[in-house]
Amino acid sequence: MAQIDSYRTTLINRQNELSKLTSDKAKEQLKIADLNKKINTASDATRRTKNLSTINSKLKEIERYKKDIVSTTKKIADLESKIVKKNKEIFDAQKKIDKEQVSIDKKRKIENDKLQKDQERSLRNINNTLNHHNTLHRTTINEIQELKKIPEKITVLFLASNPIDQVQLRLDEEARSITEMIRKTKHRDSVKFESRWALQTLDLLQALNEHDPTIVHFSGHGSDNDEIVFQTQEGIAKLVSKEAIVQTMMASADNIRLVFFNTCYSRNQAEAVSEFVEATIGMNTTIGDKAARVFSSQFYSAIGFGLSVGKAFQQAKALLMMEDIPEESTPELFIKPGFNAEEIILVKPK
């Protein structure tokens, strides 16, 4: 719970307490009015009778009622003291809320200013890239040779793990969004999308051998200890180390050209695996559900249009910025030594 929410809860509690105190005071005041009425009734009775016994009885009643009035008046004074104190607590609580809101507004302005500067810097970089576009290409002969290496059809293997003892992610929405974006691309028939859900360790090598993918996509949870969260047969989390993932990719990397870790804290896994495959993508911190979905779906859309890995990565980051999702700095792209991100094209244009 945010600090300001805690302050607001306190304020509501104090206001409810004040309301009860005020109600209690009103009830005590009604008691005094009722006691005064009884005193008047008893006084009238003593004036109407000459019976000494009756007069003495009524005088005792009057004395008892006056004592009750004194006791009730004391209760009212005590309630009024509590009401004054409660009003001060309400004032202090509102003051804390106002102060916290000012702090939040200030932080939000700083973040917005930083985001605007980052966007302007990114746009300048994009413009510089476009202005020097011709210098990034090889000769026509080299381009043709590179295109010949691109397969007619690629397979994207989507590996999802969402253990029941972890925060539940909308991985089905991510898979649906990716397939929908691929379906809208120019070369959609060149991209085959395969998925494995509730991923267990036994499933990984089986899926890699079965589908011989060009792209391996991990979706789910990651830990800040360079681990990926798989799951057991019971559906609970099982942590797999960076070293195990690297060994698996190294043993299966003959046809894998890209590994996409769409999991939190996966930067180090991506960097290590990039020693064995042409390109990898990882996250340098946590990444939100929506950011992960938007980034990955746009990345595969660009791949499906025949763009390079480098351009697809930049387009995916640009979409995060246009969607006002301030996580464009979270994904990182790693390229195997000797390769160029702008020359890695995974889908062959027909």
Side-chain angles (χ1 to χ4, degrees):
M1 178 185 291
Q3 188 66 55
I4 194 169
D5 293 330
S6 175
Y7 291 154
R8 285 170 177 159
T9 300
T10 299
L11 176 61
I12 292 171
N13 291 338
R14 298 297 175 267
Q15 289 172 335
N16 290 337
E17 291 166 0
L18 175 63
S19 177
K20 185 178 184 307
L21 288 171
T22 304
S23 176
D24 291 344
K25 177 184 173 183
K27 290 177 183 177
E28 296 300 324
Q29 288 174 328
L30 287 175
K31 287 182 183 178
I32 289 179
D34 183 60
L35 289 169
N36 282 323
K37 184 177 179 181
K38 289 180 178 179
I39 289 173
N40 290 334
T41 301
S43 296
D44 290 342
T46 59
R47 288 192 293 270
R48 287 195 305 269
T49 184
K50 293 182 179 180
N51 186 296
L52 186 60
S53 175
T54 301
I55 291 172
N56 288 333
S57 175
K58 293 300 177 181
L59 289 175
K60 289 180 180 179
E61 286 182 16
I62 292 170
E63 185 64 26
R64 186 170 66 253
Y65 294 150
K66 286 182 178 180
K67 288 181 180 180
D68 289 343
I69 288 175
V70 171
S71 175
T72 304
T73 301
K74 184 178 179 181
K75 288 182 180 179
I76 291 174
D78 182 57
L79 287 170
E80 287 177 341
S81 175
K82 291 180 179 179
I83 287 171
V84 170
K85 182 180 178 181
K86 198 60 62 179
N87 277 318
K88 184 177 184 306
E89 291 175 358
I90 290 173
F91 176 80
D92 292 341
Q94 184 63 56
K95 189 175 179 181
K96 287 181 178 179
I97 291 173
D98 295 342
K99 183 178 179 180
E100 185 67 17
Q101 187 63 55
V102 169
S103 176
I104 290 172
D105 292 341
K106 184 177 179 181
K107 290 178 181 177
R108 187 172 295 151
K109 183 179 184 304
I110 292 172
E111 290 172 357
N112 288 338
D113 290 344
K114 181 180 181 299
L115 177 60
Q116 183 176 352
K117 290 180 180 178
D118 290 343
Q119 290 174 339
E120 291 173 352
R121 188 182 307 110
S122 295
L123 287 174
R124 284 196 299 270
N125 291 338
I126 292 172
N127 288 333
N128 290 337
T129 301
L130 292 174
N131 290 335
H132 295 88
H133 180 73
N134 291 330
T135 64
L136 299 177
H137 289 81
R138 296 179 180 272
T139 63
T140 303
I141 295 176
N142 287 335
E143 290 177 351
I144 293 174
Q145 289 175 343
E146 289 298 320
L147 286 174
K148 288 180 179 179
K149 298 178 183 178
I150 301 173
E152 289 289 339
K153 193 164 189 175
I154 69 169
T155 296
V156 177
L157 179 58
F158 183 90
L159 304 169
S161 177
N162 203 11
I164 59 176
D165 59 343
Q166 301 290 307
V167 175
Q168 292 301 289
L169 304 174
R170 298 173 63 188
L171 305 186
D172 55 336
E173 285 294 319
E174 181 184 358
R176 186 203 63 79
S177 181
I178 291 173
T179 55
E180 183 66 21
M181 293 297 281
I182 290 175
R183 192 177 298 117
K184 295 177 182 178
T185 63
K186 182 178 180 181
H187 308 297
R188 55 185 174 275
D189 294 333
S190 296
V191 183
K192 183 180 181 182
F193 187 84
E194 297 285 352
S195 60
R196 282 290 184 276
W197 297 89
L199 184 67
Q200 300 177 32
T201 52
L202 292 173
D203 299 330
L204 180 54
L205 286 171
Q206 175 66 28
L208 292 173
N209 292 335
E210 180 180 347
H211 297 290
D212 192 22
T214 308
I215 300 175
V216 178
H217 182 109
F218 290 93
S219 184
H221 291 282
S223 79
D224 55 2
N225 290 322
D226 297 338
E227 299 160 319
I228 293 181
V229 180
F230 284 53
Q231 59 190 77
T232 65
Q233 290 183 349
E234 292 76 24
I236 63 175
K238 176 178 176 58
L239 301 178
V240 176
S241 68
K242 177 185 71 175
E243 291 74 17
I245 294 297
V246 171
Q247 177 65 29
T248 301
M249 293 299 104
M250 181 182 69
S252 313
D254 288 346
N255 295 316
I256 298 173
R257 301 185 64 191
L258 170 69
V259 180
F260 193 140
F261 294 94
N262 207 11
T263 58
C264 299
Y265 304 110
S266 53
R267 178 195 182 281
N268 291 339
Q269 291 100 315
E271 184 177 23
V273 172
S274 68
E275 294 293 319
F276 309 101
V277 299
E278 294 176 40
T280 59
I281 295 173
M283 307 300 158
N284 56 37
T285 183
T286 59
I287 184 166
D289 232 355
K290 183 177 180 181
R293 184 169 65 253
V294 169
F295 181 84
S296 61
S297 59
Q298 178 55 41
F299 177 84
Y300 288 109
S301 173
I303 292 297
F305 277 105
L307 300 184
S308 69
V309 169
K311 283 187 171 58
F313 183 79
Q314 291 301 326
Q315 282 195 2
K317 292 181 65 172
L319 184 58
L320 287 177
M321 296 165 67
M322 289 189 289
E323 288 290 333
D324 293 325
I325 303 174
E327 298 183 58
E328 74 277 2
S329 299
T330 299
E332 290 191 34
L333 173 65
F334 298 92
I335 302 299
K336 184 177 181 180
F339 286 80
N340 187 323
E342 302 301 325
E343 297 174 359
I344 301 174
I345 301 175
L346 304 179
V347 175
K348 182 177 181 179
K350 291 184 180 180

